[in-house]
Amino acid sequence: MQPTASHFVNGKYLEDTDGTPMPVIFPATGEEIAMVHAATPAVVEAALAAATAAQAEWAAMMGVERGRVLRRAADIMRERNQELSELETLDTGKPIQETLVADATSAADALEYFGGIAASLGGEHMQLGGDWAYTMRVPLGVCVGIGAWNYPTQIAAWKGAPALACGNTMIFKPSEQTPLCALKVAEILVEAGAPAGVYNVIQGAGEVGRALVEDPRTDKVSLTGSAATGKKVYASAAARMKHATMELGGKSPLVIFDDADLESAVSGAINANFYASGQVCSNGTRVFVQKGIKEDFLAQLKERTAKAVIGDPRDEATNFGPMVSEEQLAITCSYIEKGLEERARLVHGGKRIDRPGAYVEPTIFADVTDDMTIAREEIFGPVMSVLDFETEEEVVERANATDLGLSGAVFTADLTRAHRVVHAIDAGSLWINQYNLTPVEVPFGGMKGSGVGRENSRAAIEHYSQLKTVYVGMSPVEAAF
Ligand code: NDP
């Protein structure tokens, strides 16, 4: 099941043990499950050469042929969902209950969706009196994908599928925390018929990503990562006039009015904070609850959170697993300390769990105020902040009082208010009476400090292709002299 080498370059696995060793740790036990090596300059060069050499031929293929490869890859991913989900669970520590439905399946959806539209990508015709013009939709060239550790299979496919559909090639660098899953995406694409060099995966920390972005042979970078890394990578791309998509972090508001279906709102808040042990960029970590239902909401939330089945993520009964690493666990625990210091009211959890692995309890703070650190900074762990509010006007203003703008949601039975509030929130993805569903058919991405560009849907095509305009003169040219 495990990949057989560290990198996948030019259609096959590639090893170079001169690279810095990167042990892969199963977060639920702390055991080392694999060892990969960071890309050496020779591996980086091999990936750049392969992706550059393959691009023109891949772009020259009919869209329908490129699409067929992607759709075949989608079918293979679905057939192997069980083993790919097990690998995702080992790589990230997320419960198999989640990975069976949210990772390889989501990657397969992206491959199928972009495979389906590859044949229909094209330009327009404009009649200009006797003359006319047309546009062609052409690829960007070699794209660099850089992933975070929370959804390693999904991120590799969400970037790779639209890139390949448009005729680009890709070099993907996974997070050093979760290096295994993207290799399987590469392997499956080749099995599905992708020519050598079209989709490559190389390992390493930030400096490998940096080298790829700085190389003159690459044309675009799509990063999923923190806002701080996003600023660095975007600046590097801008200095070289490269295209960029930045999928960054959030501190998103989840607004619950007192007429909301309480049970559904509690479910929304649980999904928006504790799925994947809180390691989801679009999470609604500022839960604004209207004062009239605050205590009922907290009581139900506490009772249901106490029922979380915390355990080995390989067990299908487990619905709350470890964090990805000891390092992320320590960051989360330090935010919990801050919450206590700044006098938020601890309603549930708050402690590291006494068992092997990077486990912390699902944690709920109430009476959180806008100025507290836990209400301002992205924690990226299972820590929910519940804030009170009284009026719609007030909550909209407070929801927008952040530099970030990835997502948000409103729970209410009032249809007009629901739309009014989501229209007023400055964020890229909003839900009404729902949270964190991100099907491939709809655009996903952030506003403000949460990023630029969109993934998924036809909108992603704009970020992996460009237009070439051709003006066709049909009469002799007239000149002033
Ligand atoms: P990081 O920003 O630390 O890392 C993201 C990726 O960028 C990693 O592969 C990292 O390598 C690489 N990297 C780091 N520095 C550079 C550099 N200078 N040049 C090029 N690449 C670099 O994020 P995390 O991995 O910790 O992921 C968590 C963050 O990702 C959270 O903020 C979360 O909100 C965000 N995220 C956003 C999503 C979205 O779609 N909007 C979805 C999921 C997560 P390495 O770490 O291996 O050294």
Short mmCIF file of all heavy atoms in Angstrom, two decimals, residues 398-461:
data_model
loop_
_atom_site.label_atom_id
_atom_site.label_comp_id
_atom_site.label_asym_id
_atom_site.label_seq_id
_atom_site.Cartn_x
_atom_site.Cartn_y
_atom_site.Cartn_z
N ARG A 398 -18.94 42.64 13.91
CA ARG A 398 -17.91 41.89 14.64
C ARG A 398 -17.39 40.72 13.80
O ARG A 398 -16.20 40.39 13.84
CB ARG A 398 -18.48 41.39 15.97
CG ARG A 398 -18.73 42.55 16.95
CD ARG A 398 -19.53 42.11 18.15
NE ARG A 398 -18.85 41.06 18.90
CZ ARG A 398 -19.47 40.27 19.79
NH1 ARG A 398 -20.77 40.41 20.03
NH2 ARG A 398 -18.79 39.34 20.43
N ALA A 399 -18.27 40.09 13.03
CA ALA A 399 -17.84 38.97 12.18
C ALA A 399 -16.78 39.44 11.18
O ALA A 399 -15.83 38.72 10.87
CB ALA A 399 -19.03 38.37 11.45
N ASN A 400 -16.96 40.67 10.70
CA ASN A 400 -16.03 41.20 9.68
C ASN A 400 -14.78 41.84 10.27
O ASN A 400 -13.88 42.23 9.52
CB ASN A 400 -16.74 42.23 8.81
CG ASN A 400 -17.65 41.55 7.78
OD1 ASN A 400 -17.41 40.40 7.40
ND2 ASN A 400 -18.66 42.28 7.33
N ALA A 401 -14.69 41.92 11.59
CA ALA A 401 -13.55 42.61 12.21
C ALA A 401 -12.34 41.69 12.30
O ALA A 401 -11.85 41.34 13.38
CB ALA A 401 -13.94 43.13 13.60
N THR A 402 -11.86 41.23 11.16
CA THR A 402 -10.70 40.35 11.07
C THR A 402 -10.04 40.60 9.72
O THR A 402 -10.71 41.00 8.76
CB THR A 402 -11.11 38.85 11.18
OG1 THR A 402 -10.02 38.05 10.73
CG2 THR A 402 -12.33 38.52 10.35
N ASP A 403 -8.73 40.34 9.67
CA ASP A 403 -8.02 40.50 8.39
C ASP A 403 -8.28 39.33 7.46
O ASP A 403 -7.87 39.35 6.31
CB ASP A 403 -6.50 40.58 8.64
CG ASP A 403 -6.13 41.83 9.40
OD1 ASP A 403 -6.93 42.80 9.34
OD2 ASP A 403 -5.07 41.84 10.05
N LEU A 404 -8.86 38.26 8.00
CA LEU A 404 -9.06 37.06 7.19
C LEU A 404 -10.49 37.00 6.65
O LEU A 404 -11.37 37.68 7.17
CB LEU A 404 -8.74 35.82 8.03
CG LEU A 404 -7.31 35.80 8.58
CD1 LEU A 404 -7.11 34.67 9.57
CD2 LEU A 404 -6.28 35.70 7.45
N GLY A 405 -10.72 36.20 5.64
CA GLY A 405 -12.07 36.14 5.04
C GLY A 405 -12.26 34.88 4.23
O GLY A 405 -12.64 34.94 3.07
N LEU A 406 -11.99 33.74 4.86
CA LEU A 406 -12.12 32.49 4.10
C LEU A 406 -13.58 32.05 4.01
O LEU A 406 -14.09 31.79 2.93
CB LEU A 406 -11.25 31.39 4.73
CG LEU A 406 -11.13 30.10 3.92
CD1 LEU A 406 -10.64 30.37 2.50
CD2 LEU A 406 -10.21 29.11 4.61
N SER A 407 -14.25 31.95 5.16
CA SER A 407 -15.58 31.35 5.18
C SER A 407 -16.47 32.00 6.22
O SER A 407 -16.04 32.90 6.95
CB SER A 407 -15.50 29.86 5.54
OG SER A 407 -14.41 29.26 4.95
N GLY A 408 -17.67 31.44 6.34
CA GLY A 408 -18.59 31.91 7.36
C GLY A 408 -19.94 31.24 7.16
O GLY A 408 -20.18 30.61 6.13
N ALA A 409 -20.81 31.36 8.17
CA ALA A 409 -22.12 30.73 8.05
C ALA A 409 -23.11 31.43 8.94
O ALA A 409 -22.75 32.12 9.90
CB ALA A 409 -22.05 29.26 8.44
N VAL A 410 -24.39 31.25 8.60
CA VAL A 410 -25.46 31.73 9.46
C VAL A 410 -26.49 30.61 9.63
O VAL A 410 -26.81 29.90 8.67
CB VAL A 410 -26.09 33.03 8.88
CG1 VAL A 410 -26.59 32.85 7.46
CG2 VAL A 410 -27.21 33.53 9.77
N PHE A 411 -26.94 30.44 10.87
CA PHE A 411 -28.04 29.51 11.17
C PHE A 411 -29.23 30.35 11.64
O PHE A 411 -29.13 31.06 12.64
CB PHE A 411 -27.65 28.50 12.26
CG PHE A 411 -26.86 27.34 11.72
CD1 PHE A 411 -25.53 27.48 11.36
CD2 PHE A 411 -27.45 26.08 11.55
CE1 PHE A 411 -24.80 26.41 10.84
CE2 PHE A 411 -26.73 25.01 11.05
CZ PHE A 411 -25.40 25.17 10.69
N THR A 412 -30.32 30.28 10.89
CA THR A 412 -31.54 31.00 11.24
C THR A 412 -32.70 30.40 10.47
O THR A 412 -32.48 29.80 9.41
CB THR A 412 -31.41 32.51 10.90
OG1 THR A 412 -32.65 33.16 11.20
CG2 THR A 412 -31.08 32.76 9.44
N ALA A 413 -33.92 30.62 10.97
CA ALA A 413 -35.10 30.17 10.23
C ALA A 413 -35.64 31.29 9.34
O ALA A 413 -36.55 31.08 8.55
CB ALA A 413 -36.19 29.73 11.21
N ASP A 414 -35.06 32.48 9.47
CA ASP A 414 -35.55 33.65 8.73
C ASP A 414 -34.79 33.75 7.41
O ASP A 414 -33.62 34.12 7.37
CB ASP A 414 -35.32 34.89 9.61
CG ASP A 414 -35.77 36.17 8.96
OD1 ASP A 414 -35.88 36.21 7.71
OD2 ASP A 414 -36.00 37.15 9.69
N LEU A 415 -35.49 33.45 6.33
CA LEU A 415 -34.88 33.35 5.00
C LEU A 415 -34.23 34.66 4.56
O LEU A 415 -33.10 34.69 4.07
CB LEU A 415 -35.97 32.94 4.01
CG LEU A 415 -35.55 32.56 2.62
CD1 LEU A 415 -34.71 31.30 2.66
CD2 LEU A 415 -36.79 32.34 1.76
N THR A 416 -34.95 35.76 4.76
CA THR A 416 -34.40 37.04 4.28
C THR A 416 -33.19 37.45 5.13
O THR A 416 -32.20 37.93 4.60
CB THR A 416 -35.46 38.16 4.28
OG1 THR A 416 -36.09 38.18 5.54
CG2 THR A 416 -36.47 37.94 3.18
N ARG A 417 -33.28 37.19 6.43
CA ARG A 417 -32.14 37.54 7.27
C ARG A 417 -30.91 36.70 6.89
O ARG A 417 -29.79 37.20 6.86
CB ARG A 417 -32.48 37.33 8.74
CG ARG A 417 -31.26 37.57 9.62
CD ARG A 417 -31.60 37.83 11.05
NE ARG A 417 -32.17 36.64 11.66
CZ ARG A 417 -32.75 36.63 12.87
NH1 ARG A 417 -32.84 37.73 13.56
NH2 ARG A 417 -33.24 35.52 13.36
N ALA A 418 -31.14 35.42 6.60
CA ALA A 418 -30.03 34.55 6.23
C ALA A 418 -29.27 35.14 5.04
O ALA A 418 -28.04 35.28 5.08
CB ALA A 418 -30.55 33.16 5.88
N HIS A 419 -30.01 35.53 4.02
CA HIS A 419 -29.33 36.07 2.83
C HIS A 419 -28.70 37.43 3.11
O HIS A 419 -27.61 37.73 2.63
CB HIS A 419 -30.31 36.14 1.65
CG HIS A 419 -30.64 34.77 1.14
ND1 HIS A 419 -29.78 34.07 0.33
CD2 HIS A 419 -31.69 33.97 1.37
CE1 HIS A 419 -30.31 32.88 0.06
NE2 HIS A 419 -31.47 32.78 0.68
N ARG A 420 -29.40 38.26 3.89
CA ARG A 420 -28.84 39.57 4.24
C ARG A 420 -27.49 39.41 4.93
O ARG A 420 -26.52 40.07 4.61
CB ARG A 420 -29.83 40.27 5.18
CG ARG A 420 -30.02 41.71 4.91
CD ARG A 420 -31.16 42.34 5.68
NE ARG A 420 -31.44 41.81 7.00
CZ ARG A 420 -32.64 41.33 7.35
NH1 ARG A 420 -33.65 41.28 6.51
NH2 ARG A 420 -32.82 40.88 8.59
N VAL A 421 -27.44 38.48 5.88
CA VAL A 421 -26.21 38.32 6.67
C VAL A 421 -25.08 37.75 5.81
O VAL A 421 -23.96 38.26 5.84
CB VAL A 421 -26.47 37.46 7.93
CG1 VAL A 421 -25.16 37.11 8.63
CG2 VAL A 421 -27.39 38.21 8.89
N VAL A 422 -25.35 36.72 5.02
CA VAL A 422 -24.24 36.17 4.21
C VAL A 422 -23.76 37.19 3.17
O VAL A 422 -22.57 37.25 2.86
CB VAL A 422 -24.54 34.81 3.54
CG1 VAL A 422 -24.67 33.70 4.56
CG2 VAL A 422 -25.72 34.86 2.62
N HIS A 423 -24.68 38.03 2.68
CA HIS A 423 -24.23 39.07 1.74
C HIS A 423 -23.31 40.06 2.44
O HIS A 423 -22.41 40.61 1.82
CB HIS A 423 -25.44 39.80 1.13
CG HIS A 423 -26.14 39.00 0.09
ND1 HIS A 423 -26.63 39.53 -1.08
CD2 HIS A 423 -26.42 37.68 0.02
CE1 HIS A 423 -27.18 38.57 -1.81
NE2 HIS A 423 -27.07 37.43 -1.15
N ALA A 424 -23.55 40.29 3.72
CA ALA A 424 -22.76 41.31 4.45
C ALA A 424 -21.43 40.78 4.96
O ALA A 424 -20.55 41.57 5.31
CB ALA A 424 -23.60 41.84 5.61
N ILE A 425 -21.27 39.46 5.04
CA ILE A 425 -20.00 38.92 5.57
C ILE A 425 -18.97 38.86 4.45
O ILE A 425 -19.23 38.33 3.36
CB ILE A 425 -20.21 37.53 6.22
CG1 ILE A 425 -21.09 37.67 7.47
CG2 ILE A 425 -18.87 36.89 6.60
CD1 ILE A 425 -21.40 36.36 8.18
N ASP A 426 -17.77 39.39 4.71
CA ASP A 426 -16.70 39.42 3.71
C ASP A 426 -15.93 38.11 3.76
O ASP A 426 -14.96 37.98 4.50
CB ASP A 426 -15.73 40.58 4.01
CG ASP A 426 -16.42 41.92 4.03
OD1 ASP A 426 -17.39 42.09 3.27
OD2 ASP A 426 -16.00 42.79 4.82
N ALA A 427 -16.38 37.13 3.01
CA ALA A 427 -15.69 35.84 2.98
C ALA A 427 -15.98 35.15 1.65
O ALA A 427 -16.99 35.44 0.99
CB ALA A 427 -16.15 34.96 4.14
N GLY A 428 -15.11 34.24 1.29
CA GLY A 428 -15.23 33.59 -0.02
C GLY A 428 -16.26 32.48 -0.07
O GLY A 428 -16.88 32.25 -1.10
N SER A 429 -16.42 31.74 1.03
CA SER A 429 -17.36 30.61 1.04
C SER A 429 -18.30 30.75 2.22
O SER A 429 -17.85 30.83 3.37
CB SER A 429 -16.61 29.29 1.20
OG SER A 429 -15.83 29.04 0.06
N LEU A 430 -19.59 30.80 1.94
CA LEU A 430 -20.57 30.98 3.02
C LEU A 430 -21.64 29.90 2.95
O LEU A 430 -21.99 29.43 1.87
CB LEU A 430 -21.20 32.37 2.89
CG LEU A 430 -20.19 33.47 3.24
CD1 LEU A 430 -20.37 34.69 2.37
CD2 LEU A 430 -20.27 33.84 4.70
N TRP A 431 -22.12 29.54 4.11
CA TRP A 431 -23.18 28.53 4.18
C TRP A 431 -24.38 29.10 4.95
O TRP A 431 -24.19 29.87 5.90
CB TRP A 431 -22.69 27.28 4.93
CG TRP A 431 -21.62 26.53 4.21
CD1 TRP A 431 -21.80 25.54 3.27
CD2 TRP A 431 -20.19 26.67 4.36
NE1 TRP A 431 -20.57 25.07 2.84
CE2 TRP A 431 -19.58 25.74 3.49
CE3 TRP A 431 -19.38 27.49 5.14
CZ2 TRP A 431 -18.19 25.62 3.38
CZ3 TRP A 431 -17.99 27.37 5.02
CH2 TRP A 431 -17.41 26.44 4.15
N ILE A 432 -25.55 28.68 4.52
CA ILE A 432 -26.77 28.99 5.28
C ILE A 432 -27.29 27.67 5.84
O ILE A 432 -27.53 26.71 5.08
CB ILE A 432 -27.83 29.66 4.38
CG1 ILE A 432 -27.34 31.04 3.93
CG2 ILE A 432 -29.18 29.75 5.10
CD1 ILE A 432 -28.23 31.75 2.92
N ASN A 433 -27.42 27.60 7.16
CA ASN A 433 -27.89 26.38 7.85
C ASN A 433 -27.10 25.14 7.45
O ASN A 433 -27.66 24.04 7.26
CB ASN A 433 -29.40 26.17 7.61
CG ASN A 433 -30.21 27.31 8.23
OD1 ASN A 433 -29.78 27.90 9.23
ND2 ASN A 433 -31.33 27.63 7.64
N GLN A 434 -25.81 25.29 7.32
CA GLN A 434 -24.92 24.18 6.95
C GLN A 434 -23.50 24.65 7.26
O GLN A 434 -23.28 25.84 7.49
CB GLN A 434 -25.11 23.88 5.45
CG GLN A 434 -24.45 22.64 4.90
CD GLN A 434 -24.70 21.39 5.74
OE1 GLN A 434 -23.94 21.13 6.67
NE2 GLN A 434 -25.74 20.63 5.43
N TYR A 435 -22.54 23.70 7.29
CA TYR A 435 -21.15 24.15 7.44
C TYR A 435 -20.16 23.21 6.75
O TYR A 435 -20.34 21.99 6.77
CB TYR A 435 -20.73 24.34 8.92
CG TYR A 435 -19.68 25.42 9.01
CD1 TYR A 435 -20.03 26.75 9.18
CD2 TYR A 435 -18.34 25.12 8.78
CE1 TYR A 435 -19.07 27.75 9.16
CE2 TYR A 435 -17.37 26.12 8.75
CZ TYR A 435 -17.74 27.44 8.94
OH TYR A 435 -16.79 28.43 8.87
N ASN A 436 -19.16 23.79 6.14
CA ASN A 436 -17.97 23.09 5.62
C ASN A 436 -18.20 22.08 4.50
O ASN A 436 -17.34 21.24 4.26
CB ASN A 436 -17.21 22.39 6.76
CG ASN A 436 -15.99 23.22 7.20
OD1 ASN A 436 -15.67 24.22 6.56
ND2 ASN A 436 -15.32 22.81 8.25
N LEU A 437 -19.33 22.16 3.83
CA LEU A 437 -19.48 21.30 2.66
C LEU A 437 -18.84 22.03 1.47
O LEU A 437 -19.15 23.20 1.22
CB LEU A 437 -20.96 20.99 2.39
CG LEU A 437 -21.65 20.20 3.49
CD1 LEU A 437 -23.07 19.81 3.08
CD2 LEU A 437 -20.86 18.94 3.87
N THR A 438 -17.94 21.34 0.79
CA THR A 438 -17.19 21.99 -0.30
C THR A 438 -17.17 21.09 -1.54
O THR A 438 -16.13 20.58 -1.92
CB THR A 438 -15.74 22.30 0.12
OG1 THR A 438 -15.14 21.07 0.58
CG2 THR A 438 -15.67 23.32 1.23
N PRO A 439 -18.32 20.87 -2.16
CA PRO A 439 -18.34 20.02 -3.35
C PRO A 439 -17.58 20.66 -4.51
O PRO A 439 -17.45 21.89 -4.58
CB PRO A 439 -19.83 19.88 -3.67
CG PRO A 439 -20.49 21.05 -3.04
CD PRO A 439 -19.65 21.41 -1.84
N VAL A 440 -17.07 19.82 -5.41
CA VAL A 440 -16.22 20.30 -6.50
C VAL A 440 -16.97 21.25 -7.44
O VAL A 440 -16.35 22.09 -8.10
CB VAL A 440 -15.62 19.11 -7.28
CG1 VAL A 440 -16.68 18.33 -8.05
CG2 VAL A 440 -14.50 19.56 -8.20
N GLU A 441 -18.28 21.18 -7.45
CA GLU A 441 -19.06 22.02 -8.38
C GLU A 441 -19.01 23.51 -8.00
O GLU A 441 -19.35 24.36 -8.82
CB GLU A 441 -20.54 21.59 -8.40
CG GLU A 441 -20.80 20.23 -8.98
CD GLU A 441 -20.75 19.11 -7.94
OE1 GLU A 441 -20.11 19.29 -6.86
OE2 GLU A 441 -21.34 18.05 -8.19
N VAL A 442 -18.65 23.83 -6.74
CA VAL A 442 -18.73 25.24 -6.31
C VAL A 442 -17.33 25.79 -6.03
O VAL A 442 -16.45 25.07 -5.56
CB VAL A 442 -19.65 25.41 -5.08
CG1 VAL A 442 -21.05 24.91 -5.36
CG2 VAL A 442 -19.10 24.73 -3.85
N PRO A 443 -17.13 27.09 -6.32
CA PRO A 443 -15.81 27.68 -6.08
C PRO A 443 -15.46 27.67 -4.61
O PRO A 443 -16.33 27.80 -3.75
CB PRO A 443 -15.97 29.12 -6.58
CG PRO A 443 -17.19 29.13 -7.42
CD PRO A 443 -18.08 28.04 -6.91
N PHE A 444 -14.16 27.54 -4.32
CA PHE A 444 -13.68 27.59 -2.94
C PHE A 444 -12.44 28.46 -2.88
O PHE A 444 -11.50 28.28 -3.66
CB PHE A 444 -13.34 26.18 -2.45
CG PHE A 444 -12.87 26.17 -1.02
CD1 PHE A 444 -13.77 26.31 0.02
CD2 PHE A 444 -11.52 26.06 -0.72
CE1 PHE A 444 -13.35 26.34 1.34
CE2 PHE A 444 -11.08 26.09 0.60
CZ PHE A 444 -12.00 26.23 1.64
N GLY A 445 -12.42 29.40 -1.93
CA GLY A 445 -11.23 30.25 -1.78
C GLY A 445 -11.56 31.46 -0.93
O GLY A 445 -12.73 31.68 -0.59
N GLY A 446 -10.53 32.21 -0.58
CA GLY A 446 -10.73 33.26 0.41
C GLY A 446 -10.70 34.67 -0.12
O GLY A 446 -10.22 34.95 -1.22
N MET A 447 -11.23 35.58 0.72
CA MET A 447 -11.11 37.02 0.49
C MET A 447 -10.10 37.57 1.51
O MET A 447 -9.67 36.85 2.40
CB MET A 447 -12.45 37.71 0.72
CG MET A 447 -13.48 37.40 -0.33
SD MET A 447 -14.98 38.36 0.02
CE MET A 447 -16.00 37.84 -1.34
N LYS A 448 -9.79 38.82 1.40
CA LYS A 448 -8.87 39.53 2.31
C LYS A 448 -7.59 38.70 2.52
O LYS A 448 -7.06 38.12 1.57
CB LYS A 448 -9.59 39.85 3.63
CG LYS A 448 -10.87 40.65 3.44
CD LYS A 448 -11.34 41.37 4.70
CE LYS A 448 -12.00 40.46 5.68
NZ LYS A 448 -12.62 41.17 6.82
N GLY A 449 -7.12 38.58 3.74
CA GLY A 449 -5.85 37.88 3.99
C GLY A 449 -5.92 36.38 3.81
O GLY A 449 -4.92 35.68 3.99
N SER A 450 -7.09 35.85 3.48
CA SER A 450 -7.22 34.39 3.31
C SER A 450 -6.84 33.92 1.92
O SER A 450 -6.89 32.71 1.66
CB SER A 450 -8.64 33.94 3.64
OG SER A 450 -8.87 34.06 5.03
N GLY A 451 -6.48 34.85 1.04
CA GLY A 451 -5.92 34.36 -0.21
C GLY A 451 -6.46 35.01 -1.46
O GLY A 451 -7.27 35.93 -1.42
N VAL A 452 -5.95 34.49 -2.59
CA VAL A 452 -6.39 34.95 -3.91
C VAL A 452 -6.62 33.73 -4.78
O VAL A 452 -5.97 32.71 -4.63
CB VAL A 452 -5.35 35.87 -4.60
CG1 VAL A 452 -5.24 37.21 -3.91
CG2 VAL A 452 -3.99 35.20 -4.68
N GLY A 453 -7.57 33.86 -5.70
CA GLY A 453 -7.87 32.76 -6.61
C GLY A 453 -8.93 31.85 -6.03
O GLY A 453 -9.34 32.01 -4.87
N ARG A 454 -9.39 30.92 -6.84
CA ARG A 454 -10.42 29.96 -6.41
C ARG A 454 -10.04 28.58 -6.89
O ARG A 454 -9.49 28.41 -7.97
CB ARG A 454 -11.79 30.33 -7.01
CG ARG A 454 -12.39 31.62 -6.43
CD ARG A 454 -12.79 31.45 -4.97
NE ARG A 454 -13.30 32.69 -4.37
CZ ARG A 454 -12.55 33.61 -3.76
NH1 ARG A 454 -11.24 33.46 -3.67
NH2 ARG A 454 -13.10 34.69 -3.24
N GLU A 455 -10.35 27.59 -6.05
CA GLU A 455 -10.21 26.21 -6.47
C GLU A 455 -11.61 25.66 -6.76
O GLU A 455 -12.61 26.24 -6.36
CB GLU A 455 -9.52 25.38 -5.38
CG GLU A 455 -8.09 25.89 -5.16
CD GLU A 455 -7.17 24.90 -4.44
OE1 GLU A 455 -7.50 24.47 -3.33
OE2 GLU A 455 -6.11 24.59 -5.02
N ASN A 456 -11.63 24.53 -7.45
CA ASN A 456 -12.89 23.84 -7.79
C ASN A 456 -13.76 24.68 -8.74
O ASN A 456 -13.55 25.87 -8.92
CB ASN A 456 -13.68 23.46 -6.54
CG ASN A 456 -13.00 22.33 -5.78
OD1 ASN A 456 -12.16 21.64 -6.35
ND2 ASN A 456 -13.36 22.13 -4.54
N SER A 457 -14.75 24.00 -9.32
CA SER A 457 -15.74 24.61 -10.22
C SER A 457 -15.05 25.14 -11.49
O SER A 457 -13.83 25.11 -11.61
CB SER A 457 -16.50 25.76 -9.53
OG SER A 457 -15.71 26.94 -9.52
N ARG A 458 -15.87 25.72 -12.37
CA ARG A 458 -15.30 26.29 -13.59
C ARG A 458 -14.39 27.47 -13.26
O ARG A 458 -13.51 27.82 -14.06
CB ARG A 458 -16.41 26.73 -14.55
CG ARG A 458 -17.17 25.58 -15.19
CD ARG A 458 -18.00 26.03 -16.38
NE ARG A 458 -17.20 26.16 -17.59
CZ ARG A 458 -17.00 25.18 -18.47
NH1 ARG A 458 -17.56 24.00 -18.28
NH2 ARG A 458 -16.26 25.38 -19.54
N ALA A 459 -14.58 28.08 -12.09
CA ALA A 459 -13.73 29.23 -11.71
C ALA A 459 -12.25 28.83 -11.69
O ALA A 459 -11.38 29.65 -12.00
CB ALA A 459 -14.15 29.76 -10.34
N ALA A 460 -11.94 27.59 -11.33
CA ALA A 460 -10.54 27.17 -11.25
C ALA A 460 -9.86 27.21 -12.62
O ALA A 460 -8.64 27.40 -12.71
CB ALA A 460 -10.43 25.76 -10.65
N ILE A 461 -10.66 27.03 -13.67
CA ILE A 461 -10.09 27.04 -15.03
C ILE A 461 -9.40 28.39 -15.31
O ILE A 461 -8.35 28.45 -15.95
CB ILE A 461 -11.21 26.77 -16.07
CG1 ILE A 461 -11.80 25.36 -15.84
CG2 ILE A 461 -10.72 26.97 -17.49
CD1 ILE A 461 -10.81 24.23 -15.96
#
